Structures are given as C-alpha cells and as structure tokens.
Amino acid sequence: METPNKKRIVVPGEEIATSEEYLPGKNVFQDYDDGLVKSKKIGEVKYDNKTHIAEVESFKNHKNILTRNEVVYAVVERFEDPIVILKIIYSEDKKASIIPPVTGILHVMNASNSRIRYLSDVFGYGDIIRAYVIEEGGPPFYLSTRGRNFGAILAKCPKCMTPMKKRGILLYCPNCGHKIKNKKLSLHYLLK
C-alpha cells in the first residue's frame, strides 16, 4: 500500500485502504467480503488523515447519462466475484440505445432478494439482463436486478452459445439440449 501523501490514480474496484485505516467517502465503497476500502471511479485518491476518510476525485465530471431507478438492458462481459462487469446498451425509460455503450457493475448483494453465492451461478457470459440504476454518477453505473421483473431476458447456452428457451423454471438449448435451472430470470424473458 502506497503512503497516503503520494499522488495515486486508481480504477474501479482497486484497493485504496483497509477499513481499519480509512472509512469510505465520495466515490469509495467498503467491500464487506475482504474488509477493504475500494474505488468506485477512475480518479485520484484523497486521504483525510484527521477524519480518516478516503475519497476518489473522479476524472469524469460530465452530465449523467443515466439516472437513479432508470431501467436498462446490459450484456454480461466478465465476472470478478463478487461483481459482474456489464456493458449497458439500452435505456428502456428513454427508449434509446446508449451509444457508445457504458460500463455497469452488478454486485452480488444487488442481484436478487434471495441469497446468491456467486454471480456466475445465475448469469453467464453474453446474457442480456434487464436491470435498474441504483447509483448515479457513472460510468461505471451501479445496477440491481432485485425483483421479479429484473434479471436475464436472454441467456446463452454455456456449451454452444445458442440463445436458450424457457420452459417452466428451466432453460434449455434448442441446439445441443443443455439444461440450466438456477438462473436469475426476468418475467420478461424473451424466448419461450
């Protein structure tokens, strides 16, 4: 860990302190899994040694393109448990594509009202999910899929990447026959 007096640039998810050293301030969060204080934004870390608060001064001070509770569609790009990185491609509220796409982050605690251990258990690469923005000020935008209307609206087969069809609570691949049952699906799932 670098000393708090040096200029330091960080990216989202990067450790900036331990919870014993500093409390999270602006653009910073505490990861309760490992007890580390991490950055939410790309920017410069600022440490206040009197109040013991760490903040990140964001490099992006532009007008927000997404607002709190706005419903969006996003594609799953990669897993970095306890989060999944998404590419937000469409705003349902604005009825418009987001060009260029912006980054979204879904934390495991915001994925469902039920307990989920790993996001890779309920979402897969290339899945398109319906979510809503829980925190403005991105990118990255923090998303949630809590609620029955939110979750995957189109899932791809992990074996052959064919879009899967829904039958009851199961998803099945019309190409290779692979079946999955523990996905976090939206009531708006497209293929039946």
Side-chain angles (χ1 to χ4, degrees):
M1 172 72 70
E2 294 180 27
T3 61
N5 297 332
K6 288 186 180 178
K7 184 175 181 177
R8 182 166 168 221
I9 308 302
V10 293
V11 296
E14 186 174 336
E15 172 190 348
I16 60 175
T18 64
S19 56
E20 291 84 16
E21 296 173 308
Y22 290 92
L23 296 171
K26 185 173 85 173
N27 297 324
V28 175
F29 71 99
Q30 181 176 347
D31 187 336
Y32 292 101
D33 290 334
D34 56 17
L36 299 175
V37 175
K38 298 179 180 180
S39 175
K40 287 184 184 179
K41 307 276 184 189
I42 296 173
E44 184 181 346
V45 180
K46 304 283 186 187
Y47 297 97
D48 186 328
N49 291 325
K50 290 181 183 175
T51 60
H52 291 278
I53 293 176
E55 297 183 343
V56 172
E57 192 64 43
S58 177
F59 288 151
K60 294 185 179 181
N61 291 323
H62 56 75
K63 198 165 95 175
N64 290 332
I65 51 176
L66 298 174
T67 58
R68 187 176 170 91
N69 295 323
E70 187 168 344
V71 177
V72 297
Y73 295 91
V75 179
V76 174
E77 290 203 315
R78 71 180 189 271
F79 294 90
E80 295 179 9
D81 274 326
I83 64 169
V84 64
I85 308 296
L86 305 137
K87 180 171 55 176
I88 303 171
I89 56 172
Y90 185 80
S91 168
E92 184 178 285
D93 293 359
K94 292 179 180 132
K95 296 185 180 8
S97 296
I98 297 174
I99 301 172
V102 294
T103 302
I105 295 175
L106 175 65
H107 193 280
V108 70
M109 70 182 183
N110 294 318
S112 176
N113 291 332
S114 304
R115 181 161 161 71
I116 294 173
R117 189 172 173 132
Y118 299 107
L119 285 166
S120 56
D121 291 341
V122 293
F123 296 117
Y125 290 104
D127 287 1
I128 299 174
I129 67 165
R130 184 173 188 260
Y132 58 94
V133 178
I134 56 173
E135 189 174 316
E136 294 180 9
F141 291 94
Y142 289 83
L143 305 176
S144 176
T145 53
R146 287 180 177 228
R148 296 181 62 200
N149 289 316
F150 301 97
I153 60 164
L154 186 66
K156 293 190 177 180
C157 176
K159 294 192 174 196
C160 68
M161 296 306 285
T162 301
M164 299 185 82
K165 292 188 174 185
K166 184 179 175 189
R167 185 182 293 151
I169 61 167
L170 283 175
L171 289 179
Y172 73 95
C173 178
N175 184 45
C176 70
H178 184 71
K179 293 178 183 155
I180 301 174
K181 71 173 178 177
N182 290 324
K183 286 270 195 181
K184 169 66 170 98
L185 300 178
S186 166
L187 289 178
H188 303 282
Y189 193 82
L190 297 174
L191 299 177
K192 299 199 171 73

